[in-house]
Amino acid sequence: MSSLILRHEPGAAGSEIYRVWSGDERVGTIRREDVHAATYWPWHITGLIETGERTIGPSGRASSREEAMEQFRSAFVRLLAVPHHRPGDYPYRKG
């Protein structure tokens, strides 16, 4: 498996949105979300399960970007261990 790389996505002023890449394939997103006095880092893996109307994958929420990346990596590795979830077997979102 290729290593997972975070790439900051420029957006609105002050936004922190990172796309997660495995090689040249975009496989998910980690972003900062400020809610009241707390900061959360929601993450989700994209392009894993086709439901007919939308593509969904595992997701979670952490208290730091580093923790979100570790949770993301752990979930991604578990999914790749399942025979039908290998790179190339499902649509990735490129961009």
Side-chain angles (χ1 to χ4, degrees), residues 16 31-42 61-64:
E16 290 192 57
R31 63 184 169 83
R32 179 181 172 154
E33 187 174 280
D34 294 312
V35 179
H36 304 290
T39 298
Y40 301 101
W41 290 85
R61 184 173 78 171
S63 58
S64 70

Side-chain angles (χ1 to χ4, degrees), residues 30-78:
I30 296 174
R31 63 184 169 83
R32 179 181 172 154
E33 187 174 280
D34 294 312
V35 179
H36 304 290
T39 298
Y40 301 101
W41 290 85
W43 59 268
H44 66 274
I45 297 173
T46 56
L48 295 175
I49 302 168
E50 289 292 331
T51 64
E53 291 185 20
R54 59 190 175 132
T55 302
I56 59 173
S59 62
R61 184 173 78 171
S63 58
S64 70
R65 189 182 75 187
E66 293 77 15
E67 182 183 349
M69 190 61 204
E70 285 305 313
Q71 290 177 13
F72 186 103
R73 183 182 316 281
S74 178
F76 193 72
V77 168
R78 280 193 314 271

